[in-house]
Amino acid sequence: MALGFYVAWLAGKPETVALVPEDCAKALREHFPADTVEGNSLSTFTDFDSLVSAIEADVAGAKSYVHLIFFKYEDDPVGRRLGNLLSRKAAEGVEVRLMYDDAVNKSRYPLYRDLRAAGLDVRGFGKMVIPFLRKKDNYRNHRKIVVVDGRVAYVGGMNIAERYGLGLGWGRWRDTQLRIEGPAAAACELAFATDWVHEDPSAAAVLSDARYYPEVPASGSSKVEILCSGPIGEGPVIMDRICRMLDESREYVWMESPYLIPTPQVRDSIIYAARRGVDVRLIIPPRGDRGVLTPLATKAYVGPMLREGVRIWLYDPGYMHSKTIVCDGRYATVGSTNIDSRSYLLDLEVNAFIDDPVYEASLKEIFLDDAARSSEIDPAVWARRPLPEKAAESFAKLFSYQL
């Protein structure tokens, strides 16, 4: 009985609390009051090695500071190589701050100790001593952000881990990261600074300084809005924006995600769009990267979506970990947010929402290339799967809120 009450409490819908006190938030926003920012140049990375090379090139050119948040920053050849570069920049006098999610990185403490010794300011988000003793221990900082000198920023789905380049034993790792050059980099810096101040309130006076938000000239034509969400912070604003994108769509909405475990709000928005005649498509992986419940729960939602007219592909070359949406020839989003309840309600996430027909077209082409390598699910064949398989999926669906 007690265990049941504990699980119900842990899985209950979170109440949103402020990430930082109001005075700190006001100080941090003083230099960046805008939402949507024009004049940005965007680049898309779907290959991990190319992404790391680009980050290293930007870090090598840093003059003032480098700020990084990764859900996972692993102790492997990639993590060590980037760490060595960050250490050299710190020795040159560049400020380097690195944040990681504490709960999923405890085995990497020796690496973080070495980086601190080399001059980096390194700390975990949401330090957890006894797992799940507090409700907030169930919240993860799932963001991936890099900011260099306030002029260049990265957001997306890739962590710093060698397996992103090597792939899994059964296939390649397919992901998407966005590089932003231009004024919107300041919004990514604001997101970083807010997370950092949550862990170290005394840093508010430092990270609200104008030098972290320099005047950056326009370098492109893309309009970009950076949204952060989470139970510690702004609440489910990314979920709400994605629902709005679906609800206002008229022609098509094409999505990529490693999971299909939507909240009721997102599920309904997807279904209602399909019922209106919107061309709704989704690419997901054929299997999971960890555990059995998550891929089973994903499959539980496939059948109902297919019956409503949503077209779904399985990414044959490997594991689809990309989190992107393109819509109606104009709008797109790239970020860390999966189509799952955990991302929408329990984790801290960051997404770039883009208003630019040219960029949307480029991301749409990537989707079409991925679809060409994938197998579309036949609704009739899917419906005829064995009953035990469907029963296992229905059981896994019971845990959707935590997946």
Side-chain angles (χ1 to χ4, degrees):
M1 179 71 72
L3 179 61
F5 279 117
Y6 170 73
V7 172
W9 166 78
L10 184 67
K13 186 175 182 179
E15 293 184 4
T16 302
V17 298
L19 192 59
V20 296
E22 179 58 31
D23 58 335
C24 293
K26 184 177 180 181
L28 291 170
R29 286 196 65 89
E30 180 180 353
H31 303 291
F32 189 76
D35 292 321
T36 302
V37 184
E38 300 183 5
N40 300 281
S41 174
L42 307 179
S43 304
T44 308
F45 294 88
T46 59
D47 171 75
F48 180 69
D49 293 336
S50 298
L51 169 68
V52 173
S53 294
I55 291 175
E56 289 175 337
D58 285 324
V59 169
K63 304 298 183 185
S64 178
Y65 71 87
V66 179
H67 288 162
L68 311 94
I69 297 177
F70 283 100
F71 177 57
K72 294 181 180 180
Y73 189 109
E74 298 196 357
D75 188 356
D76 60 25
V78 174
R80 288 280 176 175
R81 190 181 79 197
L82 179 57
N84 289 338
L85 174 58
L86 293 169
S87 300
R88 292 197 296 272
K89 297 306 293 186
E92 294 173 7
V94 173
E95 295 179 19
V96 182
R97 296 178 176 90
L98 169 65
M99 176 168 278
Y100 57 89
D101 182 83
D102 185 76
V104 300
N105 289 284
K106 290 188 177 297
S107 65
R108 290 128 199 171
Y109 281 6
L111 169 62
Y112 306 147
R113 179 198 59 218
D114 293 345
L115 293 176
R116 290 189 188 98
L120 280 67
D121 196 346
V122 183
R123 63 190 62 200
F125 185 98
K127 190 169 182 61
M128 184 167 58
V129 179
I130 302 176
F132 305 119
L133 184 64
R134 303 165 299 176
K135 191 164 187 174
K136 68 179 183 179
D137 291 336
N138 195 30
Y139 309 152
R140 304 272 65 80
N141 191 328
H142 195 240
R143 302 199 242 265
K144 295 91 176 169
I145 300 173
V146 179
V147 186
V148 179
D149 290 346
R151 60 180 180 81
V152 172
Y154 294 81
V155 296
M158 293 190 234
N159 293 293
I160 298 300
E162 187 181 36
R163 70 177 180 279
Y164 283 59
L166 297 178
L168 303 174
W170 51 274
R172 64 168 297 204
W173 189 288
R174 166 69 182 85
D175 220 321
T176 304
Q177 212 91 350
L178 177 69
R179 181 183 185 272
I180 304 167
E181 183 173 0
C188 296
E189 172 58 21
L190 178 63
F192 171 90
T194 306
D195 282 3
W196 194 271
V197 170
H198 174 78
E199 293 300 319
D200 179 13
S202 66
V206 176
L207 294 179
S208 60
D209 191 275
R211 69 189 180 87
Y212 295 101
Y213 307 90
E215 291 290 334
V216 178
S219 61
S221 58
S222 295
K223 298 178 183 178
V224 177
E225 182 177 12
I226 301 297
L227 287 185
C228 294
S229 67
I232 309 173
E234 300 298 326
V237 294
I238 292 177
M239 180 185 75
D240 293 344
R241 178 61 62 85
I242 289 172
C243 286
R244 195 174 93 187
M245 183 183 292
L246 286 157
D247 294 342
E248 295 178 356
S249 62
R250 293 295 177 264
E251 298 179 20
Y252 64 85
V253 181
W254 297 354
M255 302 172 284
E256 295 184 333
S257 173
Y259 316 118
L260 177 59
I261 312 175
T263 58
Q265 299 95 313
V266 175
R267 177 201 63 206
D268 291 347
S269 290
I270 292 173
I271 288 174
Y272 294 155
R275 288 178 180 175
R276 293 196 315 271
V278 175
D279 178 8
V280 183
R281 305 184 187 186
L282 176 66
I283 302 177
I284 58 176
R287 49 193 289 197
D289 65 326
R290 53 177 171 75
V292 296
L293 285 179
T294 301
L296 283 173
T298 289
K299 291 179 180 179
Y301 285 92
V302 168
M305 294 289 181
L306 292 173
R307 289 194 293 272
E308 296 291 347
V310 178
R311 299 176 66 186
I312 302 176
W313 282 259
L314 298 177
Y315 184 70
D316 294 329
Y319 187 62
M320 170 59 69
H321 194 253
S322 175
K323 307 104 167 33
T324 65
I325 303 175
V326 293
C327 176
D328 287 354
R330 178 173 175 180
Y331 304 106
T333 184
V334 179
S336 63
T337 309
N338 302 312
I339 302 178
D340 63 27
S341 296
R342 170 161 285 280
S343 267
Y344 290 139
L345 300 174
L346 297 178
D347 288 348
L348 281 69
E349 306 284 5
V350 59
N351 269 50
F353 286 84
I354 300 140
D355 180 351
D356 180 359
V358 174
Y359 181 76
E360 193 271 1
S362 70
L363 205 59
K364 182 180 178 182
E365 286 300 316
I366 293 174
F367 181 98
L368 289 170
D369 182 65
D370 289 335
R373 302 167 186 263
S374 305
S375 300
E376 184 171 5
I377 298 175
D378 184 321
V381 173
W382 188 264
R384 292 195 298 267
R385 290 174 308 121
L387 185 60
E389 190 173 332
K390 296 178 181 178
E393 294 162 7
S394 296
F395 174 77
K397 189 178 178 182
L398 297 174
F399 300 91
S400 291
Y401 195 79
Q402 291 293 314
L403 301 176

